Amino acid sequence: MTFDPATLRYNDQGLVPVIAQESSSGEVLMLAWMNAEAVARTLDSGRVTYWSRSRQAFWIKGETSGNVQELVEMRIDCDRDCLLAVVRQTGPACHTGARTCFFTEVRNGKEIAAPDPAVSSFGAAGGDA
Amino acid sequence: MTFDPATLRYNDQGLVPVIAQESSSGEVLMLAWMNAEAVARTLDSGRVTYWSRSRQAFWIKGETSGNVQELVEMRIDCDRDCLLAVVRQTGPACHTGARTCFFTEVRNGKEIAAPDPAVSSFGAAGGDA
């Protein structure tokens, strides 16, 4: 079946959440948003392109920082309202300079810095980040 | 720092998106939503508990199906508006019976069934799903 970005189920702002996952390690890097045009641009260009809610503009990940995301695989979830982008991340994914945006763990009721991947076994294959 | 669910940044419906990832394989299973009370219940009980937007009710994952998610680790993203729940999934995560909700791949402009994990190298550790 031909894929048409218009057939996804967007929220009332015309956006779907997109999970970015590093292909080499399995680490979940970030969650951001795409509108239909960003989905189309990502698939056409192979460069992951979000919609910035704060800037209300297309956001080619890494365009200014160089920390680009090359699309490896795009998946749609069962109810068509979320995407999984498997990517090759250059440099850190997070604007803080962290490898992933999910660097804070809740453990025993406290927030702690958690620099390691959430699932340590993922690291076996190494990483290109 | 003590973690207070009220300090997360919820959307205008009082919800944050939550990515569920299988701890044994790294596979991304699903995305669902929590309100502050669901976050607290999940951390207290160790059983992942979402807020069902369609039913407007708490949704203890697997309560009726038996396909529960045991919380292994909870992470917060850099801007505190998304959570990553690393889980041990019993049975399939998806209501369709699929292991993960992300079983459809977009490849060369077409939608195809993609039964394998999005990142094949994750499978090395096996899975308990």
Side-chain angles (χ1 to χ4, degrees), chain A residues 22-27 88-91 99 117 122-129:
Chain A
E22 168 59 43
S23 67
S24 64
S25 66
E27 193 166 25
R88 272 188 286 271
Q89 171 74 53
T90 298
R99 194 179 60 247
F122 296 1
D128 63 5

Side-chain angles (χ1 to χ4, degrees), chain A residues 1 3 21 23 26 53 73-78 80-81 101-102 104 106 109-111 114 116 118-119 122, chain B residues 1 3 21 23 26 53 73-78 80 101-102 104 106 109-111 114 116 118-119 122:
Chain A
M1 183 168 73
F3 172 69
Q21 183 181 31
S23 67
R53 295 177 301 171
E73 187 172 324
M74 181 74 90
R75 293 213 176 195
I76 310 168
D77 82 341
C78 55
R80 305 181 73 80
D81 65 359
C101 294
F102 295 95
T104 301
V106 179
K110 300 212 179 303
E111 294 187 24
D116 297 326
V119 182
F122 296 1
Chain B
M1 183 167 75
F3 172 67
Q21 183 180 31
S23 67
R53 295 177 301 171
E73 188 173 323
M74 180 74 90
R75 294 213 176 195
I76 309 169
D77 83 340
C78 56
R80 305 181 72 80
C101 294
F102 295 95
T104 302
V106 180
K110 299 212 178 303
E111 295 186 24
D116 297 326
V119 181
F122 295 2

Side-chain angles (χ1 to χ4, degrees), chain A residues 52-73:
Chain A
S52 168
R53 295 177 301 171
S54 56
R55 292 189 288 110
Q56 290 285 302
F58 290 104
W59 165 29
I60 302 173
K61 174 68 180 168
E63 191 176 33
T64 53
S65 66
N67 299 328
V68 298
Q69 291 179 343
E70 179 191 347
L71 185 69
V72 175
E73 187 172 324

Side-chain angles (χ1 to χ4, degrees), chain B residues 12 21 27-28 30 44-45 50-52 56-57 60 71-72 89 94 107 110 118:
Chain B
D12 55 11
Q21 183 180 31
E27 192 166 26
V28 174
M30 57 185 284
D44 287 348
S45 68
Y50 301 104
W51 178 258
S52 168
Q56 291 286 300
I60 303 173
L71 185 69
V72 175
Q89 172 73 53
C94 185
R107 191 186 295 175
K110 299 212 178 303

Side-chain angles (χ1 to χ4, degrees), chain B residues 36-48:
Chain B
E37 176 66 20
V39 174
R41 290 187 186 198
T42 297
L43 291 168
D44 287 348
S45 68
R47 287 274 298 271
V48 179

Side-chain angles (χ1 to χ4, degrees), chain A residues 7-123:
Chain A
T7 62
L8 298 178
R9 290 173 57 199
Y10 298 92
N11 70 10
D12 54 11
Q13 289 148 42
L15 303 174
V16 286
V18 182
I19 302 160
Q21 183 181 31
E22 168 59 43
S23 67
S24 64
S25 66
E27 193 166 25
V28 174
L29 299 173
M30 57 185 283
L31 181 136
W33 298 80
M34 290 186 188
N35 58 19
E37 177 65 21
V39 173
R41 290 187 185 198
T42 297
L43 291 169
D44 287 349
S45 69
R47 288 276 296 273
V48 179
T49 303
Y50 301 104
W51 178 258
S52 168
R53 295 177 301 171
S54 56
R55 292 189 288 110
Q56 290 285 302
F58 290 104
W59 165 29
I60 302 173
K61 174 68 180 168
E63 191 176 33
T64 53
S65 66
N67 299 328
V68 298
Q69 291 179 343
E70 179 191 347
L71 185 69
V72 175
E73 187 172 324
M74 181 74 90
R75 293 213 176 195
I76 310 168
D77 82 341
C78 55
D79 50 8
R80 305 181 73 80
D81 65 359
C82 181
L83 297 173
L84 173 64
V86 179
V87 305
R88 272 188 286 271
Q89 171 74 53
T90 298
C94 185
H95 73 287
T96 64
R99 194 179 60 247
T100 158
C101 294
F102 295 95
F103 55 80
T104 301
E105 182 184 348
V106 179
R107 190 186 295 175
N108 300 323
K110 300 212 179 303
E111 294 187 24
I112 60 171
D116 297 326
V119 182
S120 58
S121 63
F122 296 1

